[in-house]
Amino acid sequence: MGLVGCLLGTIGFGIGLPFGLLIGFLVFIHKEPADVKEPVIRPIHDMDTNSLLDILPEIPFWIKHPDYERIDWLNKFLSEMWPFLNKAISGIIRSMVEPIFAEYTGKFQKISINLKSLSLGTIPPIIHGIKVVETSQNELVFEPVLRWAGNPDITLVLSILSLKITLQLLDVQVCAYPRIVLRPLVPTFPCFSRIEVSLMEKPQVDFGLKLLGADIMAIPGLYQYIQEMIRKQIASYYLWPQTLDIPILDGSVGATKKPVGILHVKIVRALKLLKMDLLGSSDPYVKLSLSGERLPAKKTSVKMRNLNPIWNEDFKLTVKDPESQVLQLHVYDWEKVGTHDKLGMQVVPLRLLTPHETQEFSLDLVKNTNPNDPHNKKQRGQLIVQMTFNPFKEDNERFSGPLDRYASNGSGVGRLPIHDGSICGAGLLSVLIQRAEDVEGKHNNNPYAVIVFRGEKKKTKTIKKTRDPCWNEEFQFVLEEAPLKETMHIEVRSNYRRLFLRKESLGHVDINLHDVVYNGRIIDKYDLINSKNGVICIEIRWEVT
Protein backbone atom coordinates (compact mmCIF):
# COMPACT_ATOMS: atom_id res chain seq x y z
CA MET A 1 0.00 0.00 0.00
CA GLY A 2 2.90 2.35 0.77
CA LEU A 3 4.42 1.72 -2.64
CA VAL A 4 1.15 2.50 -4.41
CA GLY A 5 0.72 5.75 -2.41
CA CYS A 6 4.23 6.90 -3.27
CA LEU A 7 3.66 6.15 -6.94
CA LEU A 8 0.34 8.04 -7.03
CA GLY A 9 1.94 11.01 -5.25
CA THR A 10 4.73 11.19 -7.82
CA ILE A 11 2.25 11.05 -10.70
CA GLY A 12 0.12 13.76 -9.08
CA PHE A 13 3.13 16.06 -8.62
CA GLY A 14 4.18 15.52 -12.25
CA ILE A 15 0.72 16.42 -13.50
CA GLY A 16 0.00 19.21 -11.01
CA LEU A 17 3.21 21.21 -11.50
CA PRO A 18 2.83 22.00 -15.21
CA PHE A 19 -0.92 22.44 -14.76
CA GLY A 20 -0.31 24.98 -11.98
CA LEU A 21 2.27 26.88 -14.04
CA LEU A 22 -0.17 27.07 -16.93
CA ILE A 23 -2.91 28.46 -14.70
CA GLY A 24 -0.50 30.99 -13.20
CA PHE A 25 0.65 32.16 -16.65
CA LEU A 26 -2.94 32.66 -17.80
CA VAL A 27 -4.01 34.47 -14.64
CA PHE A 28 -1.00 36.62 -13.75
CA ILE A 29 0.98 37.13 -16.96
CA HIS A 30 -1.07 36.57 -20.07
CA LYS A 31 -4.17 38.31 -18.76
CA GLU A 32 -3.82 42.12 -18.77
CA PRO A 33 -4.57 43.50 -15.30
CA ALA A 34 -7.60 45.70 -15.10
CA ASP A 35 -6.34 48.03 -12.37
CA VAL A 36 -3.52 49.67 -14.39
CA LYS A 37 -3.72 53.46 -14.05
CA GLU A 38 -2.31 56.16 -16.26
CA PRO A 39 0.86 57.77 -14.84
CA VAL A 40 0.32 61.04 -13.06
CA ILE A 41 2.17 63.93 -14.69
CA ARG A 42 2.76 66.93 -12.42
CA PRO A 43 4.80 70.12 -12.71
CA ILE A 44 8.04 70.20 -10.74
CA HIS A 45 6.82 72.94 -8.43
CA ASP A 46 3.89 70.70 -7.34
CA MET A 47 6.12 67.79 -6.25
CA ASP A 48 7.03 67.07 -2.66
CA THR A 49 10.58 66.81 -1.36
CA ASN A 50 10.91 63.03 -1.72
CA SER A 51 9.66 63.07 -5.31
CA LEU A 52 12.10 65.84 -6.22
CA LEU A 53 15.02 63.94 -4.71
CA ASP A 54 14.09 60.89 -6.81
CA ILE A 55 14.12 62.74 -10.14
CA LEU A 56 16.85 65.31 -9.38
CA PRO A 57 19.74 63.24 -10.85
CA GLU A 58 17.84 62.89 -14.13
CA ILE A 59 17.18 66.63 -14.61
CA PRO A 60 19.51 68.03 -17.34
CA PHE A 61 22.23 70.43 -16.23
CA TRP A 62 20.94 73.21 -18.49
CA ILE A 63 17.83 73.32 -16.25
CA LYS A 64 19.64 73.20 -12.89
CA HIS A 65 22.57 75.51 -13.78
CA PRO A 66 22.17 78.68 -15.87
CA ASP A 67 25.84 78.53 -16.95
CA TYR A 68 25.16 75.38 -18.99
CA GLU A 69 23.56 75.55 -22.42
CA ARG A 70 21.13 73.12 -24.04
CA ILE A 71 22.56 71.46 -27.15
CA ASP A 72 19.94 69.09 -28.52
CA TRP A 73 21.39 69.52 -32.00
CA LEU A 74 24.66 67.90 -30.87
CA ASN A 75 22.81 64.97 -29.30
CA LYS A 76 20.90 64.55 -32.55
CA PHE A 77 24.19 64.56 -34.41
CA LEU A 78 25.62 61.89 -32.06
CA SER A 79 22.50 59.77 -32.49
CA GLU A 80 22.75 59.83 -36.30
CA MET A 81 26.52 59.28 -36.35
CA TRP A 82 26.70 56.69 -33.57
CA PRO A 83 26.65 53.54 -35.79
CA PHE A 84 29.70 54.89 -37.62
CA LEU A 85 31.38 56.28 -34.51
CA ASN A 86 30.86 52.90 -32.82
CA LYS A 87 32.82 51.10 -35.54
CA ALA A 88 35.53 53.78 -35.72
CA ILE A 89 36.08 53.96 -31.93
CA SER A 90 35.96 50.18 -31.60
CA GLY A 91 38.60 49.89 -34.31
CA ILE A 92 40.87 52.35 -32.50
CA ILE A 93 40.44 50.51 -29.19
CA ARG A 94 41.18 47.17 -30.84
CA SER A 95 44.33 48.50 -32.53
CA MET A 96 45.55 49.86 -29.17
CA VAL A 97 44.89 46.85 -26.94
CA GLU A 98 45.82 44.00 -29.27
CA PRO A 99 49.58 44.85 -29.24
CA ILE A 100 49.39 44.94 -25.42
CA PHE A 101 47.77 41.49 -25.37
CA ALA A 102 50.39 40.24 -27.82
CA GLU A 103 53.14 41.48 -25.47
CA TYR A 104 51.69 39.46 -22.58
CA THR A 105 51.37 36.44 -24.85
CA GLY A 106 55.05 36.79 -25.74
CA LYS A 107 56.08 36.88 -22.08
CA PHE A 108 53.85 34.01 -20.99
CA GLN A 109 53.78 31.43 -23.77
CA LYS A 110 51.01 29.37 -22.20
CA ILE A 111 48.65 32.32 -21.79
CA SER A 112 46.79 34.14 -24.55
CA ILE A 113 44.23 36.97 -24.46
CA ASN A 114 41.87 37.60 -27.37
CA LEU A 115 39.08 40.08 -28.03
CA LYS A 116 36.17 37.91 -29.07
CA SER A 117 33.81 40.85 -29.58
CA LEU A 118 34.07 44.61 -29.27
CA SER A 119 31.07 46.87 -29.77
CA LEU A 120 29.88 49.97 -27.94
CA GLY A 121 26.27 49.04 -28.57
CA THR A 122 23.41 50.95 -30.15
CA ILE A 123 22.85 53.65 -27.51
CA PRO A 124 24.97 56.82 -27.90
CA PRO A 125 26.09 59.02 -25.00
CA ILE A 126 24.01 62.07 -24.16
CA ILE A 127 25.34 65.55 -23.42
CA HIS A 128 23.14 67.03 -20.69
CA GLY A 129 24.57 70.51 -21.09
CA ILE A 130 27.77 72.36 -21.93
CA LYS A 131 29.52 75.37 -20.44
CA VAL A 132 32.06 77.52 -22.27
CA VAL A 133 34.67 79.11 -19.99
CA GLU A 134 36.08 82.47 -21.01
CA THR A 135 39.82 82.95 -20.41
CA SER A 136 42.41 85.54 -21.38
CA GLN A 137 44.71 82.87 -22.79
CA ASN A 138 45.11 81.71 -26.36
CA GLU A 139 42.77 78.75 -25.90
CA LEU A 140 39.18 77.48 -25.99
CA VAL A 141 37.80 75.87 -22.80
CA PHE A 142 34.47 74.09 -22.44
CA GLU A 143 32.95 71.69 -19.90
CA PRO A 144 30.28 69.22 -21.09
CA VAL A 145 28.22 66.93 -18.85
CA LEU A 146 28.37 63.42 -20.33
CA ARG A 147 26.09 60.52 -19.48
CA TRP A 148 26.06 57.16 -21.13
CA ALA A 149 23.77 54.28 -20.29
CA GLY A 150 24.95 51.98 -23.03
CA ASN A 151 24.59 48.36 -24.05
CA PRO A 152 28.13 47.52 -25.16
CA ASP A 153 29.34 44.01 -25.82
CA ILE A 154 33.01 43.59 -24.98
CA THR A 155 34.12 39.99 -24.54
CA LEU A 156 37.62 38.80 -23.62
CA VAL A 157 38.75 35.20 -23.88
CA LEU A 158 41.65 34.20 -21.62
CA SER A 159 43.26 30.89 -22.61
CA ILE A 160 45.45 29.09 -20.06
CA LEU A 161 46.71 25.83 -21.52
CA SER A 162 43.47 24.12 -22.62
CA LEU A 163 41.24 26.12 -20.23
CA LYS A 164 39.28 29.04 -21.70
CA ILE A 165 37.86 31.74 -19.45
CA THR A 166 35.33 34.19 -20.91
CA LEU A 167 34.93 37.67 -19.42
CA GLN A 168 32.14 39.91 -20.71
CA LEU A 169 31.53 43.60 -20.00
CA LEU A 170 27.98 44.88 -20.51
CA ASP A 171 25.36 47.38 -19.33
CA VAL A 172 27.79 50.25 -18.77
CA GLN A 173 26.63 53.48 -17.15
CA VAL A 174 28.98 56.45 -16.97
CA CYS A 175 28.51 60.01 -15.72
CA ALA A 176 31.47 62.39 -16.11
CA TYR A 177 32.21 66.11 -15.91
CA PRO A 178 35.29 66.71 -18.08
CA ARG A 179 37.04 69.96 -18.93
CA ILE A 180 38.31 70.09 -22.51
CA VAL A 181 40.93 72.67 -23.50
CA LEU A 182 41.99 73.36 -27.10
CA ARG A 183 45.35 75.16 -27.04
CA PRO A 184 47.15 76.99 -28.42
CA LEU A 185 44.99 78.34 -31.23
CA VAL A 186 46.98 78.50 -34.47
CA PRO A 187 46.21 79.57 -38.07
CA THR A 188 46.46 75.99 -39.37
CA PHE A 189 43.52 73.60 -39.62
CA PRO A 190 42.07 72.35 -37.25
CA CYS A 191 43.29 75.63 -35.65
CA PHE A 192 44.54 74.14 -32.36
CA SER A 193 47.72 72.17 -31.69
CA ARG A 194 46.65 69.91 -28.84
CA ILE A 195 43.72 68.82 -26.67
CA GLU A 196 43.95 68.70 -22.88
CA VAL A 197 41.28 66.73 -21.02
CA SER A 198 40.81 66.62 -17.25
CA LEU A 199 37.95 65.55 -14.97
CA MET A 200 36.46 68.13 -12.64
CA GLU A 201 34.92 65.45 -10.38
CA LYS A 202 35.36 61.73 -9.84
CA PRO A 203 33.36 59.89 -12.51
CA GLN A 204 30.41 57.65 -11.67
CA VAL A 205 30.84 54.22 -13.26
CA ASP A 206 28.48 51.25 -13.17
CA PHE A 207 28.64 48.08 -15.25
CA GLY A 208 27.98 44.38 -15.34
CA LEU A 209 30.79 41.83 -15.53
CA LYS A 210 30.13 38.22 -16.46
CA LEU A 211 32.71 35.54 -15.74
CA LEU A 212 31.93 32.16 -17.28
CA GLY A 213 28.34 33.31 -17.78
CA ALA A 214 27.76 34.43 -14.15
CA ASP A 215 27.51 38.09 -13.13
CA ILE A 216 30.29 38.47 -10.55
CA MET A 217 29.18 42.03 -9.79
CA ALA A 218 26.25 40.50 -7.90
CA ILE A 219 28.61 39.20 -5.22
CA PRO A 220 27.98 41.22 -2.02
CA GLY A 221 30.76 43.75 -1.35
CA LEU A 222 32.64 43.08 -4.60
CA TYR A 223 30.52 45.51 -6.62
CA GLN A 224 31.26 48.48 -4.33
CA TYR A 225 34.97 47.58 -4.09
CA ILE A 226 35.53 47.36 -7.87
CA GLN A 227 33.50 50.50 -8.55
CA GLU A 228 35.43 52.58 -6.01
CA MET A 229 38.77 51.18 -7.20
CA ILE A 230 38.00 52.19 -10.80
CA ARG A 231 36.94 55.68 -9.73
CA LYS A 232 40.16 56.16 -7.76
CA GLN A 233 42.37 54.92 -10.60
CA ILE A 234 40.73 57.20 -13.15
CA ALA A 235 40.88 60.15 -10.74
CA SER A 236 44.59 59.59 -10.00
CA TYR A 237 45.42 60.05 -13.69
CA TYR A 238 42.88 62.53 -14.98
CA LEU A 239 41.26 64.42 -12.06
CA TRP A 240 42.12 68.13 -12.31
CA PRO A 241 44.86 69.43 -12.27
CA GLN A 242 46.14 66.22 -13.91
CA THR A 243 45.46 66.19 -17.66
CA LEU A 244 45.43 63.86 -20.63
CA ASP A 245 47.43 65.63 -23.33
CA ILE A 246 46.54 64.66 -26.92
CA PRO A 247 48.85 66.25 -29.57
CA ILE A 248 47.10 67.22 -32.79
CA LEU A 249 49.66 69.27 -34.71
CA ASP A 250 53.44 69.35 -34.61
CA GLY A 251 55.92 72.08 -35.41
CA SER A 252 56.06 71.12 -39.09
CA VAL A 253 52.44 72.13 -39.69
CA GLY A 254 52.19 75.36 -37.75
CA ALA A 255 51.93 74.50 -34.06
CA THR A 256 54.03 76.45 -31.61
CA LYS A 257 56.12 74.27 -29.33
CA LYS A 258 56.95 75.41 -25.86
CA PRO A 259 60.67 76.05 -25.14
CA VAL A 260 62.17 73.43 -22.82
CA GLY A 261 65.64 74.82 -22.20
CA ILE A 262 68.59 76.94 -23.29
CA LEU A 263 71.54 75.77 -25.37
CA HIS A 264 74.84 77.48 -24.48
CA VAL A 265 77.26 77.43 -27.41
CA LYS A 266 80.86 78.60 -27.28
CA ILE A 267 82.63 78.99 -30.61
CA VAL A 268 86.21 78.28 -29.51
CA ARG A 269 88.36 78.30 -32.63
CA ALA A 270 88.95 76.91 -36.12
CA LEU A 271 91.97 75.15 -37.60
CA LYS A 272 93.40 74.97 -41.12
CA LEU A 273 90.59 76.73 -42.95
CA LEU A 274 90.55 77.06 -46.74
CA LYS A 275 92.41 79.91 -48.43
CA MET A 276 89.89 82.01 -50.34
CA ASP A 277 91.63 85.39 -50.81
CA LEU A 278 94.17 86.21 -53.47
CA LEU A 279 96.83 86.73 -50.81
CA GLY A 280 96.41 83.16 -49.56
CA SER A 281 94.26 83.84 -46.54
CA SER A 282 90.61 84.16 -45.43
CA ASP A 283 88.48 86.44 -43.23
CA PRO A 284 86.35 83.83 -41.41
CA TYR A 285 83.27 84.17 -39.24
CA VAL A 286 80.67 81.61 -38.04
CA LYS A 287 76.87 81.67 -38.33
CA LEU A 288 74.94 79.37 -35.98
CA SER A 289 71.25 78.50 -35.64
CA LEU A 290 68.92 75.71 -34.54
CA SER A 291 66.91 73.72 -37.06
CA GLY A 292 63.18 74.39 -37.11
CA GLU A 293 63.59 78.03 -36.04
CA ARG A 294 62.72 81.08 -38.11
CA LEU A 295 64.85 83.43 -36.04
CA PRO A 296 67.88 85.09 -37.69
CA ALA A 297 71.13 83.17 -37.29
CA LYS A 298 73.65 84.44 -34.74
CA LYS A 299 77.14 85.47 -35.91
CA THR A 300 80.62 85.64 -34.48
CA SER A 301 83.00 88.47 -35.16
CA VAL A 302 85.14 88.44 -38.30
CA LYS A 303 88.80 87.46 -37.90
CA MET A 304 90.73 89.19 -40.65
CA ARG A 305 93.40 87.28 -42.60
CA ASN A 306 93.48 84.23 -40.30
CA LEU A 307 93.24 80.53 -41.19
CA ASN A 308 93.41 79.48 -37.52
CA PRO A 309 91.09 82.02 -35.85
CA ILE A 310 90.33 82.05 -32.13
CA TRP A 311 86.93 83.46 -31.13
CA ASN A 312 85.95 82.18 -27.63
CA GLU A 313 82.53 83.79 -28.12
CA ASP A 314 79.38 82.64 -26.27
CA PHE A 315 75.84 82.37 -27.63
CA LYS A 316 72.50 81.25 -26.19
CA LEU A 317 69.71 79.57 -28.17
CA THR A 318 66.26 78.47 -26.99
CA VAL A 319 65.54 74.76 -27.48
CA LYS A 320 62.04 73.42 -28.18
CA ASP A 321 62.69 69.81 -29.20
CA PRO A 322 66.09 68.42 -28.16
CA GLU A 323 65.25 65.03 -29.66
CA SER A 324 64.97 66.32 -33.23
CA GLN A 325 66.73 69.69 -33.36
CA VAL A 326 70.33 70.10 -34.52
CA LEU A 327 72.79 72.95 -34.18
CA GLN A 328 73.74 74.23 -37.65
CA LEU A 329 77.19 75.78 -38.01
CA HIS A 330 78.31 77.57 -41.19
CA VAL A 331 81.76 79.11 -41.65
CA TYR A 332 82.04 81.97 -44.19
CA ASP A 333 84.80 84.09 -45.66
CA TRP A 334 83.78 87.71 -45.25
CA GLU A 335 83.87 89.87 -48.37
CA LYS A 336 83.59 93.65 -48.45
CA VAL A 337 81.78 93.55 -51.79
CA GLY A 338 79.54 90.75 -53.07
CA THR A 339 78.44 87.51 -51.48
CA HIS A 340 80.46 85.85 -48.75
CA ASP A 341 82.21 82.61 -49.73
CA LYS A 342 81.28 79.44 -47.86
CA LEU A 343 84.25 77.74 -46.22
CA GLY A 344 82.37 74.78 -44.78
CA MET A 345 79.60 73.64 -42.45
CA GLN A 346 78.67 70.99 -39.91
CA VAL A 347 75.71 70.02 -37.71
CA VAL A 348 75.50 68.66 -34.15
CA PRO A 349 72.33 66.78 -33.06
CA LEU A 350 71.22 67.93 -29.62
CA ARG A 351 70.37 64.37 -28.61
CA LEU A 352 74.11 63.76 -28.23
CA LEU A 353 74.21 66.11 -25.24
CA THR A 354 73.81 65.29 -21.57
CA PRO A 355 71.92 68.03 -19.69
CA HIS A 356 74.01 70.40 -17.57
CA GLU A 357 77.28 68.87 -18.86
CA THR A 358 79.60 70.88 -21.11
CA GLN A 359 80.82 68.84 -24.08
CA GLU A 360 83.46 69.83 -26.61
CA PHE A 361 83.26 68.83 -30.28
CA SER A 362 85.99 68.94 -32.92
CA LEU A 363 84.05 69.07 -36.15
CA ASP A 364 85.49 68.33 -39.58
CA LEU A 365 83.98 70.89 -41.93
CA VAL A 366 82.21 69.66 -45.09
CA LYS A 367 80.56 71.37 -48.04
CA ASN A 368 77.07 70.01 -47.32
CA THR A 369 75.29 67.24 -45.41
CA ASN A 370 75.11 64.88 -48.39
CA PRO A 371 77.48 61.98 -47.52
CA ASN A 372 77.72 60.94 -51.19
CA ASP A 373 78.92 64.32 -52.44
CA PRO A 374 82.55 63.92 -53.64
CA HIS A 375 83.29 67.54 -52.62
CA ASN A 376 83.01 66.45 -48.99
CA LYS A 377 86.25 64.49 -49.32
CA LYS A 378 88.19 67.73 -49.57
CA GLN A 379 89.85 68.90 -46.35
CA ARG A 380 88.19 72.13 -45.23
CA GLY A 381 89.59 72.42 -41.72
CA GLN A 382 88.11 71.93 -38.26
CA LEU A 383 85.76 73.90 -36.03
CA ILE A 384 85.94 73.45 -32.24
CA VAL A 385 82.82 74.25 -30.23
CA GLN A 386 81.61 73.69 -26.67
CA MET A 387 77.92 73.03 -25.99
CA THR A 388 75.80 72.83 -22.83
CA PHE A 389 72.07 72.14 -22.71
CA ASN A 390 70.32 73.48 -19.59
CA PRO A 391 66.64 72.42 -19.43
CA PHE A 392 64.21 74.53 -17.47
CA LYS A 393 63.61 73.36 -13.90
CA GLU A 394 60.13 72.03 -14.64
CA ASP A 395 61.62 69.86 -17.43
CA ASN A 396 64.58 68.52 -15.42
CA GLU A 397 62.81 65.22 -14.80
CA ARG A 398 62.21 64.69 -18.52
CA PHE A 399 65.85 65.33 -19.41
CA SER A 400 67.57 63.68 -16.44
CA GLY A 401 69.87 61.55 -18.60
CA PRO A 402 71.55 61.66 -22.03
CA LEU A 403 69.10 63.00 -24.57
CA ASP A 404 69.59 60.07 -26.93
CA ARG A 405 68.02 57.85 -24.24
CA TYR A 406 65.11 60.19 -23.64
CA ALA A 407 61.62 58.93 -24.41
CA SER A 408 58.48 61.05 -24.07
CA ASN A 409 55.90 60.20 -21.44
CA GLY A 410 53.18 58.34 -23.29
CA SER A 411 50.65 58.61 -20.52
CA GLY A 412 50.03 62.25 -21.32
CA VAL A 413 49.69 63.14 -17.65
CA GLY A 414 50.32 66.83 -17.15
CA ARG A 415 52.54 68.37 -14.50
CA LEU A 416 52.20 71.54 -12.56
CA PRO A 417 55.02 74.11 -12.82
CA ILE A 418 57.65 73.65 -10.16
CA HIS A 419 59.26 76.67 -8.48
CA ASP A 420 61.70 75.81 -5.73
CA GLY A 421 62.85 79.32 -4.97
CA SER A 422 65.89 79.25 -7.28
CA ILE A 423 64.65 82.10 -9.45
CA CYS A 424 67.64 84.40 -9.66
CA GLY A 425 69.69 82.42 -12.16
CA ALA A 426 69.66 82.42 -15.95
CA GLY A 427 66.41 81.83 -17.74
CA LEU A 428 64.10 82.60 -20.60
CA LEU A 429 61.62 85.48 -20.63
CA SER A 430 58.79 84.81 -23.11
CA VAL A 431 56.33 87.55 -24.07
CA LEU A 432 53.13 86.66 -25.95
CA ILE A 433 51.35 89.70 -27.42
CA GLN A 434 47.82 88.38 -27.83
CA ARG A 435 45.59 91.27 -28.91
CA ALA A 436 44.46 94.82 -28.27
CA GLU A 437 40.98 96.28 -27.97
CA ASP A 438 39.47 99.69 -28.73
CA VAL A 439 42.68 101.30 -29.97
CA GLU A 440 42.15 104.40 -32.08
CA GLY A 441 44.49 106.82 -33.82
CA LYS A 442 43.96 110.34 -35.00
CA HIS A 443 44.97 109.58 -38.57
CA ASN A 444 44.59 105.84 -39.22
CA ASN A 445 44.23 102.45 -37.54
CA ASN A 446 47.01 100.15 -38.76
CA PRO A 447 48.18 98.90 -35.34
CA TYR A 448 51.28 96.95 -34.43
CA ALA A 449 52.97 96.39 -31.06
CA VAL A 450 56.57 97.20 -30.12
CA ILE A 451 58.47 95.65 -27.17
CA VAL A 452 61.46 97.49 -25.74
CA PHE A 453 63.52 95.63 -23.15
CA ARG A 454 67.18 96.06 -22.17
CA GLY A 455 67.79 98.18 -25.24
CA GLU A 456 66.44 95.48 -27.57
CA LYS A 457 63.40 96.26 -29.72
CA LYS A 458 61.00 93.72 -31.23
CA LYS A 459 57.70 94.30 -33.00
CA THR A 460 54.68 92.39 -34.26
CA LYS A 461 53.21 92.42 -37.73
CA THR A 462 50.93 95.29 -38.77
CA ILE A 463 47.21 94.63 -39.03
CA LYS A 464 45.46 97.17 -41.22
CA LYS A 465 42.19 99.00 -40.66
CA THR A 466 41.10 97.62 -37.31
CA ARG A 467 40.61 98.84 -33.75
CA ASP A 468 40.80 95.30 -32.33
CA PRO A 469 44.00 93.74 -33.70
CA CYS A 470 44.83 90.11 -32.88
CA TRP A 471 48.54 89.29 -33.17
CA ASN A 472 49.27 86.16 -31.08
CA GLU A 473 53.02 86.61 -31.58
CA GLU A 474 55.64 85.44 -29.07
CA PHE A 475 59.06 86.96 -28.44
CA GLN A 476 61.85 85.58 -26.28
CA PHE A 477 64.74 87.05 -24.32
CA VAL A 478 67.55 84.83 -22.97
CA LEU A 479 68.80 86.41 -19.75
CA GLU A 480 71.78 85.73 -17.50
CA GLU A 481 69.79 86.66 -14.37
CA ALA A 482 66.20 87.20 -13.33
CA PRO A 483 64.77 90.66 -14.16
CA LEU A 484 63.59 91.29 -10.61
CA LYS A 485 63.88 95.10 -10.68
CA GLU A 486 63.25 95.76 -14.36
CA THR A 487 60.27 96.89 -16.41
CA MET A 488 59.22 96.12 -19.96
CA HIS A 489 57.86 98.85 -22.23
CA ILE A 490 55.18 97.76 -24.70
CA GLU A 491 53.65 100.29 -27.08
CA VAL A 492 50.91 100.05 -29.70
CA ARG A 493 51.64 102.14 -32.79
CA SER A 494 50.06 102.84 -36.14
CA ASN A 495 51.59 103.78 -39.48
CA TYR A 496 50.05 106.39 -41.72
CA ARG A 497 51.31 108.11 -44.84
CA ARG A 498 51.29 111.89 -45.29
CA LEU A 499 53.90 112.80 -47.86
CA PHE A 500 56.07 110.15 -46.23
CA LEU A 501 55.53 107.31 -43.74
CA ARG A 502 54.86 108.46 -40.18
CA LYS A 503 54.27 106.66 -36.89
CA GLU A 504 51.61 107.42 -34.31
CA SER A 505 51.40 106.09 -30.75
CA LEU A 506 48.06 104.52 -29.79
CA GLY A 507 49.05 103.96 -26.16
CA HIS A 508 51.66 102.16 -24.10
CA VAL A 509 52.16 100.23 -20.87
CA ASP A 510 55.16 99.61 -18.58
CA ILE A 511 55.08 96.20 -16.88
CA ASN A 512 57.05 95.48 -13.72
CA LEU A 513 58.61 92.02 -14.10
CA HIS A 514 58.94 91.35 -10.36
CA ASP A 515 55.64 89.43 -10.19
CA VAL A 516 56.48 87.50 -13.37
CA VAL A 517 59.70 86.18 -11.84
CA TYR A 518 58.09 85.02 -8.59
CA ASN A 519 54.87 83.63 -10.09
CA GLY A 520 56.40 82.10 -13.21
CA ARG A 521 53.65 83.50 -15.44
CA ILE A 522 51.15 86.34 -15.62
CA ILE A 523 48.25 86.77 -18.03
CA ASP A 524 46.38 90.04 -17.86
CA LYS A 525 44.70 92.92 -19.65
CA TYR A 526 46.46 96.26 -19.26
CA ASP A 527 44.89 99.68 -19.81
CA LEU A 528 46.99 101.55 -22.34
CA ILE A 529 48.41 104.86 -21.14
CA ASN A 530 47.58 107.85 -23.39
CA SER A 531 44.67 105.97 -24.93
CA LYS A 532 40.95 106.68 -24.47
CA ASN A 533 39.67 103.13 -24.00
CA GLY A 534 42.42 100.90 -25.34
CA VAL A 535 43.59 97.74 -23.57
CA ILE A 536 46.22 95.15 -24.50
CA CYS A 537 46.25 91.43 -23.56
CA ILE A 538 49.68 90.03 -22.72
CA GLU A 539 51.10 86.77 -21.36
CA ILE A 540 54.63 86.82 -19.89
CA ARG A 541 56.50 83.69 -18.67
CA TRP A 542 59.77 83.30 -16.79
CA GLU A 543 61.45 79.89 -16.93
CA VAL A 544 64.63 79.17 -15.01
CA THR A 545 67.39 76.84 -16.22
Side-chain angles (χ1 to χ4, degrees), residues 244-304:
L244 171 65
D245 198 345
I246 306 172
I248 302 298
L249 298 176
D250 56 25
S252 63
V253 289
T256 304
K257 288 189 176 182
K258 172 182 173 295
V260 296
I262 297 177
L263 178 67
H264 297 260
V265 182
K266 184 176 184 178
I267 306 296
V268 181
R269 63 179 302 176
L271 301 170
K272 298 180 181 180
L273 296 177
L274 292 179
K275 301 175 182 179
M276 304 299 292
D277 297 340
L278 295 176
L279 299 178
S281 185
S282 292
D283 306 321
Y285 71 94
V286 182
K287 292 177 66 175
L288 60 154
S289 62
L290 283 175
S291 61
E293 292 288 349
R294 298 180 181 179
L295 300 174
K298 298 181 181 292
K299 300 179 183 179
T300 67
S301 59
V302 179
K303 300 297 181 181
M304 305 300 292

Side-chain angles (χ1 to χ4, degrees), residues 90-116:
S90 298
I92 294 174
I93 295 175
R94 187 181 290 272
S95 64
M96 293 174 59
V97 301
E98 285 184 345
I100 299 175
F101 293 161
E103 181 179 350
Y104 277 98
T105 303
K107 290 182 178 179
F108 309 98
Q109 299 293 333
K110 298 180 181 181
I111 300 178
S112 64
I113 307 174
N114 297 309
L115 266 174
K116 182 179 179 181

Side-chain angles (χ1 to χ4, degrees), residues 61-62 65 67-69 71 74 127-135 140-146 176-182 196-201 240:
F61 255 58
W62 56 268
H65 300 280
D67 292 341
Y68 285 81
E69 298 181 10
I71 47 172
L74 186 54
I127 301 177
H128 278 234
I130 190 169
K131 178 175 69 173
V132 179
V133 182
E134 294 186 4
T135 69
L140 176 62
V141 182
F142 55 96
E143 297 179 1
V145 179
L146 299 176
Y177 306 87
R179 171 178 289 175
I180 302 173
V181 183
L182 311 180
E196 296 179 4
V197 182
S198 57
L199 296 174
M200 306 311 295
E201 296 181 11
W240 190 88

Side-chain angles (χ1 to χ4, degrees), residues 43-213:
I44 292 179
H45 57 78
D46 290 343
M47 294 184 177
D48 57 17
T49 303
N50 292 331
S51 300
L52 281 174
L53 291 175
D54 290 338
I55 68 169
L56 192 60
E58 305 303 324
I59 297 177
F61 255 58
W62 56 268
I63 295 178
K64 295 185 288 186
H65 300 280
D67 292 341
Y68 285 81
E69 298 181 10
R70 182 178 182 177
I71 47 172
D72 291 339
W73 63 269
L74 186 54
N75 288 320
K76 178 65 174 176
F77 172 80
L78 286 174
S79 177
E80 296 293 333
M81 288 291 295
W82 185 247
F84 307 97
L85 291 172
N86 176 23
K87 293 182 179 179
I89 297 173
S90 298
I92 294 174
I93 295 175
R94 187 181 290 272
S95 64
M96 293 174 59
V97 301
E98 285 184 345
I100 299 175
F101 293 161
E103 181 179 350
Y104 277 98
T105 303
K107 290 182 178 179
F108 309 98
Q109 299 293 333
K110 298 180 181 181
I111 300 178
S112 64
I113 307 174
N114 297 309
L115 266 174
K116 182 179 179 181
S117 62
L118 175 57
S119 173
L120 300 181
T122 58
I123 303 176
I126 297 176
I127 301 177
H128 278 234
I130 190 169
K131 178 175 69 173
V132 179
V133 182
E134 294 186 4
T135 69
S136 59
Q137 303 186 41
N138 187 27
E139 62 187 12
L140 176 62
V141 182
F142 55 96
E143 297 179 1
V145 179
L146 299 176
R147 290 185 179 177
W148 182 38
N151 56 346
D153 180 17
I154 304 174
T155 306
L156 287 176
V157 178
L158 176 64
S159 300
I160 305 177
L161 298 178
S162 59
L163 177 64
K164 291 187 177 181
I165 302 174
T166 303
L167 189 66
Q168 185 180 18
L169 178 70
L170 68 166
D171 297 333
V172 176
Q173 296 185 33
V174 178
C175 183
Y177 306 87
R179 171 178 289 175
I180 302 173
V181 183
L182 311 180
R183 71 163 69 158
L185 303 180
V186 294
T188 303
F189 190 80
C191 299
F192 54 89
S193 62
R194 70 180 189 272
I195 303 175
E196 296 179 4
V197 182
S198 57
L199 296 174
M200 306 311 295
E201 296 181 11
K202 287 185 178 181
Q204 300 176 11
V205 183
D206 192 5
F207 56 89
L209 195 62
K210 285 189 175 182
L211 180 63
L212 300 176

Side-chain angles (χ1 to χ4, degrees), residues 443-444 446 494-503:
H443 303 280
N444 210 334
N446 301 320
S494 177
N495 290 332
Y496 68 97
R497 187 174 295 278
R498 181 172 293 179
L499 297 179
F500 53 88
L501 190 65
R502 298 185 179 182
K503 300 176 182 179

Side-chain angles (χ1 to χ4, degrees), residues 526-540:
Y526 297 90
D527 293 322
L528 291 171
I529 302 173
N530 295 333
S531 175
K532 292 182 179 179
N533 302 304
V535 297
I536 186 169
C537 303
I538 302 171
E539 176 185 353
I540 307 179

